[in-house]
């Protein structure tokens, strides 16, 4: 069974086609800079685990044209992996916000789409793009079942003391204001991998998803008990362009005293803050370069980023009453040796000691154990695979609904 997984962003579409139950990746790719006039498609096909890269530049005005271009590659006479779109049984969509309605994956119906739409204000960078991805896929893959997999689902096991805010009850009861948490598909995937790697059940794991968006989760017996993101994917860790935790009075100060509109403040906190606001760059590769050149802003920004992560690790050790493993994942977590080293430094009192050489070792596929022999806690680098997790869940749903 072919499952096509879509992670639709505001100006990009990431996709993979996975054959299930073999879990064989047939192709993957990304359409970037949609609507800008110089959109690119990077499309990879896989044969005997060998990756072949095909790059194309194209005028792609919108998501419909983007996905249509991908379909042309999927069915291409030379590099195609299917003959017709009807060979795709299901399309799995990453949907970032599922609110309290969706603690599980869901076949897309008109009412599911309405619910996703209602959540636009809570995840303005993500849900509108995810919704558009669904609408486009319905046109491009009319024979396939459309399935939504929510970032929030994995966090629905959090106890009320973790997800409630200390604000008047009516805001929760009448307006659903609570912490939901995000990147759940990734936290679920890597925490399960940690269990598998340690060959131990019911372990306590702290998972750090450090990508463009960053979040940390405390996972006990495979269930999330707390996470750093809240009502929307804004708070918690310092991110590429998002501030993470701030004092709320900053917002009132900006609006009342500085005359900045609420909309602008939202934009500042979501798109102009985090590492971008502190250094002028949001990609850790550029910031690492600036650190090497002793740029003061870059060094300070790295310190702030790592210090925030350390504080969450400490508080989640308290929440879990101990920890067996700390897991790094996503673009920064998997690749940035300096950031991992900063985050794990000076945590020996908590039983966390990194082996710096193991941390810098390259060429290891799969799980990388970077803990020092003296470390009580395992420190693991585990590549996330949100698309595979989505494909697995879609396959299970298709099998049970047969
Ligand atoms: N080799 C690398 N070294 C350091 N950081 C990296 C490297 N590769 C990617 N990154 C970081 O990972 C980020 C992207 O992470 P990713 O998980 O792919 O994000 P998203 O899924 O949110 O787009 C980049 O912005 C960059 O900061
Ligand atoms: C929820 C979220 O922040 O997602 P991303 O990291 O893909 O931006
Ligand atoms: Mg991501």
């Amino acid at each position: 069974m072919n499952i096509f997984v879509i992670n639709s962003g505001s100006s990009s579409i990431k996709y993979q086609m996975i054959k299930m139950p073999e879990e064989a990746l047939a192709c993957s790719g990304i359409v970037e800079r949609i609507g800008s006039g110089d959109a690119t498609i990077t499309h990879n096909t896989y044969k005997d685990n060998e990756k072949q890269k095909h790059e194309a530049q194209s005028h792609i005005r919108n998501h419909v044209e983007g996905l249509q271009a991908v379909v042309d590659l999927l069915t291409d006479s030379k590099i195609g992996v299917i003959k017709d779109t009807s060979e795709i049984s299901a399309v799995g969509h990453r949907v970032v916000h599922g609110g309290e309605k969706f603690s599980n994956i869901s076949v897309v119906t008109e009412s599911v789409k309405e619910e996703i739409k209602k959540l636009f204000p809570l995840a303005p960078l993500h849900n509108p793009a995810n919704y558009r991805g669904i609408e486009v896929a319905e046109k491009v893959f009319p024979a396939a079942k459309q399935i939504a997999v929510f970032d929030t689902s994995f966090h629905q096991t959090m106890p009320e003391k973790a997800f409630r805010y200390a604000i008047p009850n009516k805001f929760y009861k009448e307006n659903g204001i609570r912490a939901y948490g995000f990147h759940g598909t990734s936290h679920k995937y890597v925490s399960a991998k940690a269990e598998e790697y340690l060959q131990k059940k019911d372990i306590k794991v702290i998972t750090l998803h450090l990508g463009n968006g960053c979040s940390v989760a405390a996972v006990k017996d495979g269930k999330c008990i707390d996470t750093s993101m809240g009502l929307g994917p804004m708070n918690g860790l310092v991110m590429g362009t998002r501030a993470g935790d701030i004092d709320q009075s900053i917002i009132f100060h900006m609006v009342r005293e500085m005359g900045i509109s609420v909309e602008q403040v939202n934009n500042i906190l979501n798109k102009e803050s985090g590492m971008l606001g502190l250094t002028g760059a949001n990609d850790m590769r550029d910031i690492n370069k600036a650190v090497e050149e002793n740029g003061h802003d870059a060094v300070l920004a790295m310190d702030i980023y790592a210090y925030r992560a350390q504080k969450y690790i400490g508080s989640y050790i308290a929440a879990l009453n101990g920890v067996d493993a700390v897991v790094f994942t996503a673009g920064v977590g998997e690749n940035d040796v300096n950031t991992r080293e900063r985050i794990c430094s000076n945590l020996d009192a908590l039983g966390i000691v990194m082996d710096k050489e193991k941390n810098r070792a390259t060429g290891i596929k799969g799980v990388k154990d970077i803990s020092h022999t003296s470390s009580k806690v395992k420190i693991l680098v585990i590549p996330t695979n949100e698309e595979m997790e989505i494909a697995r869940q879609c396959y299970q749903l298709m099998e049970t609904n047969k």
Side-chain angles (χ1 to χ4, degrees):
M1 180 190 295
N2 293 320
I3 313 248
F4 192 74
V5 180
I6 298 183
N7 183 350
S8 176
S10 53
S11 66
S12 71
I13 304 170
K14 289 188 199 164
Y15 60 89
Q16 286 190 6
M17 192 185 106
I18 300 173
K19 274 187 194 305
M20 297 300 285
E22 307 90 301
E23 301 199 343
L25 182 59
C27 69
S28 68
I30 179 165
V31 189
E32 290 175 283
R33 294 191 293 280
I34 295 172
S36 71
D38 67 339
T40 54
I41 308 179
T42 311
H43 180 76
N44 307 302
T45 50
Y46 300 84
K47 245 199 177 133
D48 306 323
N49 273 333
E50 280 285 314
K51 178 157 116 177
Q52 281 194 323
K53 198 169 171 181
H54 316 272
E55 259 172 316
Q57 207 111 25
S58 186
H59 281 284
I60 294 173
R61 283 174 302 184
N62 51 44
H63 283 62
V64 182
E65 289 186 5
L67 208 53
Q68 195 54 58
V70 173
V71 168
D72 292 345
L73 289 165
L74 287 178
T75 54
D76 185 85
S77 60
K78 287 203 189 82
I79 60 162
V81 289
I82 49 170
K83 289 208 169 59
D84 189 89
T85 56
S86 61
E87 290 170 48
I88 306 269
S89 307
V91 181
H93 297 268
R94 176 192 180 206
V95 179
V96 163
H97 214 313
E100 261 187 339
K101 267 255 157 29
F102 303 107
S103 56
N104 228 321
I105 79 170
S106 195
V107 172
V108 174
T109 59
E110 284 309 309
S111 74
V112 169
K113 277 163 61 180
E114 272 316 299
E115 288 297 328
I116 296 172
K117 227 177 180 175
K118 275 190 206 155
L119 295 159
F120 279 8
L122 296 188
L125 297 187
H126 298 89
N127 267 40
N130 305 154
Y131 181 88
R132 191 154 12 130
I134 292 174
E135 289 216 309
V136 173
E138 284 173 333
K139 287 201 186 82
V140 177
F141 301 105
K145 199 149 246 155
Q146 307 291 332
I147 300 172
V149 181
F150 301 93
D151 261 40
T152 42
S153 295
F154 180 61
H155 302 299
Q156 283 291 308
T157 50
M158 282 194 286
E160 202 161 358
K161 68 179 175 188
F163 73 69
R164 286 287 296 275
Y165 295 113
I167 58 175
N169 288 333
K170 69 176 179 125
F171 290 107
Y172 170 60
K173 297 205 168 115
E174 292 165 27
N175 309 97
I177 295 181
R178 50 158 283 182
Y180 290 96
F182 299 89
H183 298 129
T185 310
S186 176
H187 289 294
K188 180 176 184 196
Y189 180 85
V190 296
S191 57
K193 277 265 176 216
E195 251 192 43
E196 202 180 293
Y197 177 80
L198 296 173
Q199 296 191 330
K200 250 165 104 184
K201 280 237 160 283
D202 303 342
I203 53 171
K204 298 169 180 174
V205 192
I206 296 174
T207 48
L208 291 122
H209 176 106
L210 310 177
N212 263 324
C214 302
S215 67
V216 47
V219 183
K220 193 175 176 201
D221 309 344
K223 292 192 176 66
C224 176
I225 65 151
D226 207 345
T227 192
S228 59
M229 280 177 165
L231 176 70
M234 268 181 95
N235 65 314
L237 299 176
V238 177
M239 313 186 205
T241 64
R242 288 169 249 169
D245 292 339
I246 58 160
D247 174 353
Q248 304 86 311
S249 55
I250 294 171
I251 298 171
F252 305 115
H253 184 82
M254 283 179 165
V255 173
R256 287 204 206 110
E257 308 301 324
M258 299 173 69
I260 304 173
S261 73
V262 170
E263 215 29 67
Q264 280 172 311
V265 174
N266 189 34
N267 211 51
I268 291 167
L269 296 178
N270 265 312
K271 296 188 181 166
E272 297 172 9
S273 294
M275 298 307 266
L276 181 67
L278 292 168
T279 70
N282 69 312
D283 192 302
M284 282 297 194
R285 285 164 285 201
D286 298 328
I287 300 163
N288 272 310
K289 260 192 224 132
V291 169
E292 273 169 34
E293 289 153 12
N294 273 324
H296 171 266
D297 287 352
V299 174
L300 176 65
M302 283 291 200
D303 280 345
I304 297 173
Y305 184 100
Y307 181 58
R308 183 82 53 84
Q310 288 182 320
K311 289 202 286 188
Y312 269 97
I313 291 172
S315 67
Y316 285 176
I317 290 177
L320 290 162
N321 190 18
V323 65
D324 296 294
V326 170
V327 176
F328 286 94
T329 196
V332 179
E334 289 166 33
N335 298 300
D336 192 347
V337 290
N338 297 324
T339 297
R340 290 200 302 257
E341 193 175 309
R342 274 173 199 269
I343 293 175
C344 291
S345 70
N346 233 0
L347 292 183
D348 53 308
L350 300 178
I352 296 171
V353 187
M354 171 184 273
D355 183 320
K356 291 184 185 172
E357 267 177 46
K358 285 187 194 160
N359 182 42
R360 287 182 182 271
T362 50
I364 298 162
K365 284 226 159 87
V367 179
K368 184 158 117 173
D369 185 341
I370 56 171
S371 28
H372 193 266
T373 44
S374 66
S375 186
K376 288 200 188 82
V377 178
K378 286 283 177 201
I379 311 169
L380 306 174
V381 180
I382 305 184
T384 193
N385 196 338
E386 289 159 290
E387 290 79 10
M388 185 60 77
E389 180 59 37
I390 290 172
R392 279 180 191 163
Q393 294 186 24
C394 289
Y395 178 70
Q396 272 169 13
L397 185 79
M398 295 290 284
E399 285 296 291
T400 37
N401 283 359
K402 245 182 186 171

